[in-house]
Amino acid sequence: MLHTRRSLIQGALASLALGGVARAAGTAAVAAKELSFLVVGDWGDGQSPTTAAAVAKAMGTIGAQNAISFVISTGDNFYESGVESTSDKKWRTNFEEVYNAPSLQVPWYAVLGNHDYGGSISAQIDYSKKSRRWTMPDRYFAVSKEFGGASADFFFLDTQRMKGDTLLEIVSHLDAELQLRWLDRALGESQAPWKIVIGHHPVFSGGRHGDSELLGKRLKPILDRHGVAMYLCGHDHHLEALRSEQVAYFVSGSGSRSRPPHPHAKSLFASATPGFLLVKLTPAGGTASFYSQDAALLYSQPLIL
């Protein structure tokens, strides 16, 4: 879909006027005493079906063992260039038929990655109306969950529009400002003890793409100021846990492709193993654990409020 400069700017301003965001449906209270969910990124790769299938099978196993409530996708949902429509065959071959385990038939809250921008963004948003699982009400949105007398607020960003690449350069600065203003306001209003932010691009990473200068300057201070517990991302094709100030940073970007990471001063763990992240939250704390494509535990760390 082609956009004019005027339509893009008008759309962005309209989004701010409406509060800057859609709020995903299906955020009713959960009776469980803890909240468990999986995080996988850079997974929609029809050229690596064996690896993607192995990761999906392991996700199904770990998901069943931990009674997960949902899955978070950190972007690059469909290689090499997104999907063209809500009827694109990639929905079936790269998503529905791959992530078919019973435990994965839960909401999938997804953000957009750079490869997704090669196709139709509206198709990924509109597929939410066709699918029982796929949940992307807008380019950025918020979801709230309640469990065990506690709550968690999740804020999903479109970090690709903050990068200002190629055709997006004409609105990059405006859109980044709109999103950051919304996030700053929404985090300030949140009363949830658990505040979690999700984007495709890392703030910190030992991977090939490395740290993001823009996100480090503009996003990190917001995370620090509002006591965000963790930032979840993909983009770099590995698994990594990092920490800066009081925020835990997790890179989960090896859902179908993997590359060796480099040493990073803030890194606590890093691996090129294909896999995903399991997060378990309770009113008092939690854990974040990386698992491999064989459902083997690679690393686990406590999460402290």
Side-chain angles (χ1 to χ4, degrees):
M1 179 182 297
L2 295 178
H3 296 276
T4 65
R5 177 186 178 91
R6 175 176 294 180
S7 68
L8 285 166
I9 293 176
Q10 288 177 336
L13 291 174
S15 177
L16 182 62
L18 291 171
V21 68
R23 182 165 288 273
T27 58
V30 178
K33 294 182 180 180
E34 64 180 24
L35 182 69
S36 299
F37 58 93
L38 301 181
V39 184
V40 64
D42 304 76
W43 48 266
D45 191 355
Q47 296 181 1
S48 303
T50 301
T51 301
V55 172
K57 182 179 179 180
M59 289 172 61
T61 298
I62 300 302
Q65 292 175 355
N66 293 275
I68 62 167
S69 296
F70 55 92
V71 177
I72 288 176
S73 169
T74 58
D76 277 1
N77 306 313
F78 298 98
Y79 287 101
E80 291 291 328
S81 55
V83 290
E84 293 304 316
S85 68
T86 58
S87 59
D88 193 309
K89 68 177 183 179
K90 291 180 184 178
W91 287 109
R92 176 176 54 83
T93 60
N94 294 18
F95 176 54
E96 303 289 0
E97 294 180 352
V98 178
Y99 303 92
N100 55 11
S103 68
L104 303 182
Q105 307 309 304
V106 292
W108 281 57
Y109 299 109
V111 298
L112 296 161
N114 52 296
H115 281 272
D116 297 310
Y117 264 91
S120 169
I121 299 309
S122 62
Q124 293 205 34
I125 294 172
D126 291 344
Y127 195 71
S128 302
K129 303 172 185 176
K130 296 181 62 175
S131 172
R132 293 185 303 109
R133 294 191 285 171
W134 190 260
T135 307
M136 185 189 291
D138 210 330
R139 293 187 299 102
Y140 54 103
F141 58 98
V143 173
S144 296
K145 300 288 183 179
E146 295 182 2
F147 57 98
S151 61
D153 284 348
F154 297 81
F155 303 89
F156 297 81
L157 302 177
D158 179 2
T159 56
Q160 179 62 19
R161 292 291 286 267
M162 296 182 182
K163 301 291 287 183
D165 292 338
T166 61
L167 296 178
L168 303 175
E169 291 177 354
I170 61 171
V171 294
S172 62
H173 296 300
L174 171 63
D175 197 74
E177 185 64 26
L178 288 171
Q179 288 195 59
L180 291 169
R181 285 167 60 186
W182 162 73
L183 180 65
D184 197 13
R185 181 175 65 248
L187 283 170
E189 294 172 351
S190 172
Q191 299 298 311
W194 291 103
K195 300 178 183 68
I196 299 169
V197 178
I198 302 96
H200 178 61
H201 298 84
V203 177
F204 302 109
S205 169
R208 186 177 75 178
H209 298 292
D211 298 352
S212 167
E213 181 178 359
L214 185 148
L215 296 181
K217 288 182 177 179
R218 300 298 310 282
L219 177 59
K220 181 182 180 296
I222 296 175
L223 306 183
D224 292 337
R225 181 162 61 248
H226 294 291
V228 168
M230 68 187 84
Y231 177 78
L232 307 174
C233 69
H235 196 44
D236 273 325
H237 297 174
H238 68 286
L239 305 174
E240 188 169 17
L242 309 97
R243 191 163 191 87
S244 178
E245 308 301 334
Q246 300 302 310
V247 182
Y249 294 84
F250 295 101
V251 180
S252 184
S254 61
S256 65
R257 301 178 177 186
S258 60
R259 302 189 192 102
H262 305 292
H264 192 290
K266 299 182 185 300
S267 184
L268 304 174
F269 164 84
S271 173
T273 305
F276 57 96
L277 180 69
L278 166 70
V279 177
K280 301 181 73 171
L281 303 179
T282 73
T287 57
S289 307
F290 282 115
Y291 285 85
S292 74
Q293 61 186 331
D294 300 317
L297 178 63
L298 299 172
Y299 171 81
S300 185
Q301 74 177 53
L303 299 172
I304 302 172
L305 283 173

